[in-house]
Amino acid sequence: MRTFRPTRRWFAVHALVALAISTLGGYFAAESIAQGWVEGALVGLALVGPGIALLLRLPQIGARFDATELHLKNIFRSVVIPRSMIDDVNTDPRVARVSWSTPKGAPRTTTVSAAHVGVTYLFPRSTLAKEHQFLRDVAHWAHHGNAL
């Protein structure tokens, strides 16, 4: 079984985003309440919840594969993908996706949140070696069946 946890840098960036969402939502709600604007307060409060939920979810983010399945704990959901259903693995950490099919043949694409650095492009490709290697290992495992 091979397990992958995001880097500290990944956690730091995502924690800052979650804190920013919650803080800005709370500030907007407080200012709206002070000015008597109920709709604005509701919008601000609506931002606080997702920010806190994201912050609580971050420690759970990860990926692992064993002999038969790929287990992804992503930001919004967790998914288990049988190895035989995987069609392709994008090994670029800036994309980090698994293309697969359901048992009925419907195509699906799932992001590997733990290894995904997103559209920020803040980090040079050379600093993404750990993420890139894990995605290459998943691609090799998916196509050859060897758990590395």
Side-chain angles (χ1 to χ4, degrees):
M1 178 176 6
R2 175 89 194 278
T3 301
F4 182 81
R5 301 284 300 153
T7 62
R8 287 185 181 144
R9 178 183 56 221
W10 185 96
F11 277 115
V13 168
H14 286 79
L16 285 173
V17 169
L19 288 171
I21 291 169
S22 296
T23 302
L24 290 174
Y27 176 78
F28 190 71
E31 284 295 315
S32 297
I33 290 170
Q35 295 178 13
W37 187 32
V38 176
E39 294 87 0
L42 293 174
V43 169
L45 291 174
L47 290 174
V48 172
I52 291 172
L54 175 58
L55 198 57
L56 294 174
R57 179 72 171 167
L58 288 178
Q60 301 171 16
I61 304 298
R64 69 179 169 89
F65 59 89
D66 53 30
T68 59
E69 297 173 324
L70 173 63
H71 301 257
L72 301 174
K73 287 196 178 236
N74 288 334
I75 291 174
F76 297 111
R77 70 184 184 125
S78 296
V79 64
V80 177
I81 307 168
R83 184 181 61 81
S84 61
M85 300 292 181
I86 296 175
D87 301 320
D88 186 46
V89 178
N90 188 317
T91 60
D92 183 353
R94 294 180 173 132
V95 181
R97 286 189 285 237
V98 175
S99 299
W100 56 287
S101 301
T102 65
K104 292 184 179 182
R108 298 283 185 259
T109 300
T110 302
T111 300
V112 183
S113 294
H116 186 255
V117 296
V119 295
T120 58
Y121 295 98
L122 293 174
F123 313 120
R125 186 168 175 80
S126 61
T127 65
L128 304 174
K130 180 181 173 187
E131 293 87 347
H132 183 66
Q133 184 60 51
F134 177 76
L135 292 167
R136 284 182 32 199
D137 290 349
V138 170
H140 182 270
W141 165 82
H143 297 303
H144 301 289
N146 308 18
L148 301 172

